[in-house]
Amino acid sequence: MKTIYISYRVSLLNKRKEEQVLSRFNGYLDFIHVIKEFCDYTLENIKSYYDPQGNSRTFSLNRLAKISLKERIVYGDFESGFTGDEVLVKDNKNNNLLFDVHTKHLQARKLLFLFYIPKGSKYGYLILQKKNNHGVKTVLLNALNEFLKIKGYTDYLSTFVPSSNFKKMIEGLRFGKIKQVKFKSFSSGLMAKNIQINSFFKNNISELIVKPSKNEDLIRQREILLSLFSNNYEFDDLIFIPGISQGCIEISFLVNYQGISKTYYIKEKSKIKSNINVSNKLSYENGYPTRESMIIVALEIAKSFFNNDDSDLAA
């Protein structure tokens, strides 16, 4: 099973929408302590809500979060629960039924998180484990801002922005060649004629995957990806799929570097976020990643984003 992280850059705005230095955001308070207090509060106060499909969901902490002032981190496990699916839990040896999960039962999953709050910076970094059907970014951000109001910090609002440092990674060759490029368009014969494409149709959307050839010009790939990132690209520039120039509604691409794979998504030519596959970086016991290695890798990623940010992001 893959272990996927998502990264966000965390900031705190005052009423004039000015970004605050997090380690002294109102002149003297350190935001890392606010994050720890928020986690303690969340452990004791389960947040219940409904998703757009009408399923009951919960958001809480699985256990007490830990703080390291030396490393400037707060980490632990969020717990995401949902109802809706009926599941049969069976013994993997004899297939005997162990438990029947009904649609009204709450199915909970642990999601490792790590907040990194560097000293003297206007930005912190959140590394959050991703699992299917358990997205918690929005409910987490809302809960954090609600907590700020409860604690009396009514002049401040926290924001999470996907942290990718994509431009620097591509320019600095931090990541190697592209492993695949995925295109989505409304279902039509526009792309189906190209024999290089593996495609399937779902909900009238065609998803097409292309793997660049081994001798593809790396410099040319970089130029195209930088144009994609800057939102100044033309579909004619996409050399990965000859003859395809129109009709795409979403593009994503997968790059790999030293065991870490990142998938970048570009939607509506303006939004970009990243999934980070860290499976090959982790240590395993009995087939499962160790918690220690998951924390170490999460911190490495958070520090790499901070170190690669522009120098003017730090105060």
Side-chain angles (χ1 to χ4, degrees), residues 233 249-251 265-273:
Y233 66 91
I249 60 172
E250 183 175 301
I251 301 172
Y265 298 91
I266 298 177
K267 188 176 182 179
E268 298 176 354
K269 305 183 183 180
S270 61
K271 298 179 182 179
I272 185 167
K273 62 181 180 179

Side-chain angles (χ1 to χ4, degrees), residues 64-105:
L64 191 66
K66 296 185 178 180
I67 184 172
S68 171
L69 295 179
K70 179 181 178 181
E71 294 287 357
R72 300 288 301 172
I73 58 175
V74 177
Y75 61 95
D77 296 284
F78 288 125
E79 187 174 280
S80 169
F82 79 105
T83 60
D85 291 336
E86 186 172 353
V87 178
L88 300 179
V89 180
K90 294 188 174 184
D91 190 298
N92 62 354
K93 294 182 179 180
N94 54 29
N95 206 38
N96 288 338
L97 180 65
L98 299 178
F99 190 75
D100 189 356
V101 180
H102 296 286
T103 56
K104 293 184 178 181
H105 287 156

Side-chain angles (χ1 to χ4, degrees), residues 125-177:
Y125 299 86
L126 167 63
I127 308 300
L128 183 62
Q129 187 178 6
K130 178 182 179 180
K131 293 183 179 179
N132 290 337
N133 203 29
H134 287 278
V136 298
K137 177 255 185 180
T138 300
V139 66
L140 166 59
L141 180 59
N142 290 341
L144 176 57
N145 282 319
E146 288 176 6
F147 178 76
L148 291 176
K149 292 180 181 179
I150 291 173
K151 297 297 291 184
Y153 306 126
T154 55
D155 291 342
Y156 299 95
L157 180 73
S158 185
T159 64
F160 295 169
V161 177
S163 177
S164 64
N165 285 338
F166 167 72
K167 186 174 181 180
K168 286 185 173 293
M169 290 177 179
I170 297 299
E171 286 181 335
L173 288 178
R174 288 289 308 280
F175 279 64
K177 292 188 68 173

Side-chain angles (χ1 to χ4, degrees), residues 172-189:
L173 288 178
R174 288 289 308 280
F175 279 64
K177 292 188 68 173
I178 304 162
K179 295 179 67 177
Q180 70 180 36
V181 181
K182 184 182 295 183
F183 293 77
K184 286 186 179 180
S185 75
F186 291 107
S187 178
S188 70

Side-chain angles (χ1 to χ4, degrees), residues 34-277:
V34 176
I35 292 293
K36 179 60 168 66
E37 291 177 13
F38 163 70
C39 291
D40 293 345
Y41 176 85
T42 303
L43 179 64
E44 300 296 329
N45 296 269
I46 299 174
K47 187 175 183 62
S48 299
Y49 64 105
Y50 290 92
D51 64 20
Q53 290 72 43
N55 296 319
S56 174
R57 287 183 174 267
T58 60
F59 172 75
S60 183
L61 227 68
N62 180 261
R63 52 182 164 178
L64 191 66
K66 296 185 178 180
I67 184 172
S68 171
L69 295 179
K70 179 181 178 181
E71 294 287 357
R72 300 288 301 172
I73 58 175
V74 177
Y75 61 95
D77 296 284
F78 288 125
E79 187 174 280
S80 169
F82 79 105
T83 60
D85 291 336
E86 186 172 353
V87 178
L88 300 179
V89 180
K90 294 188 174 184
D91 190 298
N92 62 354
K93 294 182 179 180
N94 54 29
N95 206 38
N96 288 338
L97 180 65
L98 299 178
F99 190 75
D100 189 356
V101 180
H102 296 286
T103 56
K104 293 184 178 181
H105 287 156
L106 192 68
Q107 300 177 41
R109 302 288 189 276
K110 293 194 301 182
L111 304 171
L112 183 134
F113 71 89
L114 182 142
F115 282 95
Y116 174 52
I117 312 294
K119 269 194 172 182
S121 174
K122 294 179 181 179
Y123 296 94
Y125 299 86
L126 167 63
I127 308 300
L128 183 62
Q129 187 178 6
K130 178 182 179 180
K131 293 183 179 179
N132 290 337
N133 203 29
H134 287 278
V136 298
K137 177 255 185 180
T138 300
V139 66
L140 166 59
L141 180 59
N142 290 341
L144 176 57
N145 282 319
E146 288 176 6
F147 178 76
L148 291 176
K149 292 180 181 179
I150 291 173
K151 297 297 291 184
Y153 306 126
T154 55
D155 291 342
Y156 299 95
L157 180 73
S158 185
T159 64
F160 295 169
V161 177
S163 177
S164 64
N165 285 338
F166 167 72
K167 186 174 181 180
K168 286 185 173 293
M169 290 177 179
I170 297 299
E171 286 181 335
L173 288 178
R174 288 289 308 280
F175 279 64
K177 292 188 68 173
I178 304 162
K179 295 179 67 177
Q180 70 180 36
V181 181
K182 184 182 295 183
F183 293 77
K184 286 186 179 180
S185 75
F186 291 107
S187 178
S188 70
L190 179 65
M191 300 182 183
K193 295 179 181 179
N194 195 303
I195 60 174
Q196 299 182 31
I197 297 172
N198 298 317
S199 65
F200 63 90
F201 294 85
K202 183 178 181 181
N203 297 328
N204 205 35
I205 296 292
S206 176
E207 183 171 272
L208 315 167
I209 299 175
V210 176
K211 296 183 179 181
S213 62
K214 292 183 179 180
N215 59 356
E216 194 75 76
D217 185 352
L218 181 59
I219 295 177
R220 180 63 175 144
Q221 285 192 22
R222 271 198 313 177
E223 290 175 351
I224 292 171
L225 293 183
L226 288 173
S227 69
L228 286 170
F229 179 74
S230 64
N231 197 31
N232 295 320
Y233 66 91
E234 297 291 339
F235 283 111
D236 289 331
D237 293 334
L238 298 173
I239 60 175
F240 308 111
I241 306 184
I244 302 305
S245 61
Q246 298 180 19
C248 296
I249 60 172
E250 183 175 301
I251 301 172
S252 67
F253 48 92
L254 177 71
V255 290
N256 186 67
Y257 175 77
Q258 293 186 354
I260 295 180
S261 296
K262 293 174 70 67
T263 301
Y264 289 92
Y265 298 91
I266 298 177
K267 188 176 182 179
E268 298 176 354
K269 305 183 183 180
S270 61
K271 298 179 182 179
I272 185 167
K273 62 181 180 179
S274 64
N275 293 342
I276 310 172
N277 184 351

